[in-house]
Structure formats: structure tokens, C-alpha cells
Amino acid sequence: MKVTNAIFERGEEMKKNRILRYRYMYLMLFPVCVWYIIFTYIPIGGLLMAFQDYKFKLGYLGSPFVGLEHFKTLFLDDYFLQAFRNTFEIALLRILFVFPSAIILALLMNELRSRIVRSFVQTISYLPHFFSWVSMAGILLMVLAEDNGLVNIMLSALGRQEIRFLTSNEYFRGVLVISDIYKDVGWNSIVYVAALSGISPSLYESAMLDGASRKQLALHITLPGIAPVVSIMFIMYVGGVFSQGFDQIYNLYNPMVYSSGDVIDTYIVRMLKTNFNMSVSAASSFIKSVVCMTFLLISNTIVRKMGQESIY
């Protein structure tokens, strides 16, 4: 018993020393925790409106409870079903094309032998991330506009037919995926570049002495070396993919591409603009949250079954 108490006291002392040692780092973390509490955890209580006929003057406690009435309204609304389907399909496109793009860029940069060239490529690829989607949308409109866009001017000069990139359902999703990759591929690759730098160079040297090719080095050393990081990032990306892209879509879409570009978040904004029904909007957000959680659980299970690192 005395030994157990001594071990416990020793552990508590080490914990206090560690907190004191890294107190400035914990202090830097404090604003982040406050931000998450205010903008992530406290708003969870607002989901109660999804089950109420919410009125401002009555508040949460006084508004009448209506159960699943708003959910029934949503699933009978063709526009919501269209937005739900679009959200799901655009999310799959992001998982298939946007997520792997950062890994591919990191692998390509890892093959560059010149540090100067690698630094230049990294800098160029990071820059678009620091532009807001308002600015990016303005650039895309100048480049892809149907009448006076740079691309269509070039097509007209070559005698080709102009393409309605931003007003055609055929091309709009492609614009979303490509512009998303262009804007954030460099920034998203940072964590993979860091993971690659942690792989011991001796592994590559030993493999090259045994006659391994560049392809074999990538398949048997590089990819397994970053697999734990990729698995964790995959789970986090899939878990939040339904909530991504609102700024991008809201600044790029228009009524002509609602059938292919309208998602749950933009549907909620339109609902609030037209009839300001807080309860129906909260119900839409609740459905999106449930889908995100489902995606998170499924991706975590798949990654764990594959023998990789998982969240739990």
C-alpha cells in the first residue's frame, strides 16, 4: 500500500513539474480552447431548436416542442433532398481527388534533390491558401467567365466554342474540385512533408544498396513510413468533409447550378434569408452533424480494420 501511494505521489509530482515546465505552451493553447468552447461546444445547445417551434420571444424554454415535425418537412422538401444528394456527391469527389492530392504533392516534393527547387515549389504551392474564397472567386470569375473570361477568350481565338464553366451543371463540380486542390493542396501537404522528414535516411541507403528502384523505395519505405499520419488525417478529413466547402460554393454558385452545386449549408442560408425559420435550419444542421458523425465512425472502423492508427 505504501509503495502504491509513493508511486501515485511521484506521478503527481512529475505531472506538476511537466505543467510548470510547459506553462507557456499551455498558455498559448488557452485561446484555442476558449474558441472551441464558444464556437463549437456552446452552439450544440442550439440543436434543441430542431425539435421546437422556436420563437425568439419565448426562447429555448418557452418554445413549444414539436418532436420530429421539422425533419419530416425537410425530407418532403425536394430542394433539401437535392442539397443532401449534392453534399454527399461533392463530399465523395473531395475524398477521391482533393484528399490524395496533398499526399501526391508531398511525395513528389520528397523526390526533389535540390533544396532550392523544393523550397520554391513549397512556397508557390502554399500561397493560394492565404487568399480568401472571396478573392479566389473573383480570380476564377475573371479566368472562367463565359463572356470575357481569359480561358474563353483563348478558346474563341482558337476558333473553339466557349465553355460555361460556372453556369453549367456539367462543369461546375469539376471547377469546385480543381479550385479546391489549387488553393489548399500545398497547405494540406505540410503535415505529410513533416512526416516524410521523420523517416530515417538509413532505410533508403540500405534499400538502395540492395538494388531497390525509386518506385520500390516509395512503395516499401516512404508510403509505410507516413501511413499512420495518412490514416489519422483521412479520418479527420472524412469526418468533416460534409462541413467543408461552404465559402467556396457560396461565392461561386448561382441559381443556374443549384441542381449540382447546392449543398446543405447553402440551403440553410437560403432558408434563413427567405422565411427565417430557425427550427428548420437547426434540423438541417442536425442531419448534417449526424451524417458527419456516421462518416467519422465508418472511416475510423475501416482504418482500424486495416491495421493502421485510428482515433479510438
Side-chain angles (χ1 to χ4, degrees), residues 26-234:
Y26 287 117
L27 188 62
M28 292 174 63
L29 186 63
F30 179 74
V32 179
C33 296
V34 172
W35 187 92
Y36 271 98
I37 291 171
I38 294 175
F39 294 103
T40 304
Y41 288 98
I42 292 179
I44 292 176
L47 293 176
L48 180 63
M49 291 188 294
F51 305 94
Q52 297 177 319
D53 184 13
Y54 181 76
K55 305 294 182 184
F56 271 111
K57 61 181 179 181
L58 298 177
Y60 290 124
L61 299 179
S63 298
F65 183 78
V66 296
L68 301 177
E69 190 64 33
H70 298 305
F71 295 93
K72 295 178 182 178
T73 301
L74 285 173
F75 284 109
L76 292 175
D77 184 357
D78 292 335
Y79 291 108
F80 174 78
L81 295 177
Q82 175 182 273
F84 184 87
R85 184 181 66 253
N86 290 339
T87 306
F88 185 81
E89 293 174 354
I90 292 174
L92 289 181
L93 290 174
R94 293 183 189 276
I95 293 171
L96 291 175
F97 297 103
V98 179
F99 177 76
S101 63
I103 303 173
I104 295 171
L105 178 62
L107 293 175
L108 292 175
M109 286 194 293
N110 188 57
E111 295 297 319
L112 295 174
R113 296 293 176 240
S114 173
R115 289 189 176 183
I116 297 176
V117 176
R118 185 185 305 175
S119 298
F120 176 76
V121 172
Q122 287 179 325
T123 302
I124 293 299
S125 63
Y126 295 166
L127 280 177
H129 173 77
F130 297 99
F131 292 96
S132 68
W133 271 115
V134 176
S135 302
M136 287 296 298
I139 295 172
L140 288 172
L141 286 172
M142 288 189 293
V143 174
L144 302 177
E146 183 178 355
D147 298 328
N148 55 359
L150 179 61
V151 174
N152 280 318
I153 290 175
M154 294 174 63
L155 290 175
S156 297
L158 295 173
R160 301 293 184 88
Q161 186 178 0
E162 295 180 350
I163 299 175
R164 298 185 297 114
F165 291 102
L166 299 176
T167 57
S168 171
N169 290 302
E170 182 181 357
Y171 295 100
F172 186 71
R173 289 184 181 177
V175 172
L176 291 180
V177 172
I178 294 173
S179 60
D180 194 8
I181 292 174
Y182 170 75
K183 185 176 184 298
D184 288 326
V185 64
W187 184 261
N188 293 337
S189 68
I190 292 177
V191 65
Y192 304 113
V193 173
L196 288 169
S197 65
I199 300 175
S200 175
S202 61
L203 295 175
Y204 292 103
E205 294 170 0
S206 300
M208 285 188 289
L209 288 174
D210 291 336
S213 64
R214 300 284 287 273
K215 180 180 178 181
Q216 290 172 327
L217 292 176
L219 291 176
H220 300 290
I221 297 179
T222 305
L223 289 177
I226 65 172
V229 175
V230 172
S231 61
I232 294 297
M233 295 302 294
F234 175 76

Side-chain angles (χ1 to χ4, degrees), residues 215-287:
K215 180 180 178 181
Q216 290 172 327
L217 292 176
L219 291 176
H220 300 290
I221 297 179
T222 305
L223 289 177
I226 65 172
V229 175
V230 172
S231 61
I232 294 297
M233 295 302 294
F234 175 76
I235 295 171
M236 295 175 63
Y237 188 87
V238 171
V241 72
F242 256 59
S243 299
Q244 294 179 6
F246 167 74
D247 292 343
Q248 177 193 24
I249 296 173
Y250 187 74
N251 285 285
L252 289 176
Y253 88 145
N254 54 77
M256 298 181 69
V257 292
Y258 277 175
S259 61
S260 64
D262 191 28
V263 293
I264 294 177
D265 286 335
T266 54
Y267 172 85
I268 292 173
V269 171
R270 282 208 321 281
M271 286 288 295
L272 291 174
K273 284 183 176 180
T274 53
N275 55 15
F276 203 70
N277 192 325
M278 297 289 290
S279 295
V280 175
S281 300
S284 304
S285 297
F286 188 88
I287 293 172

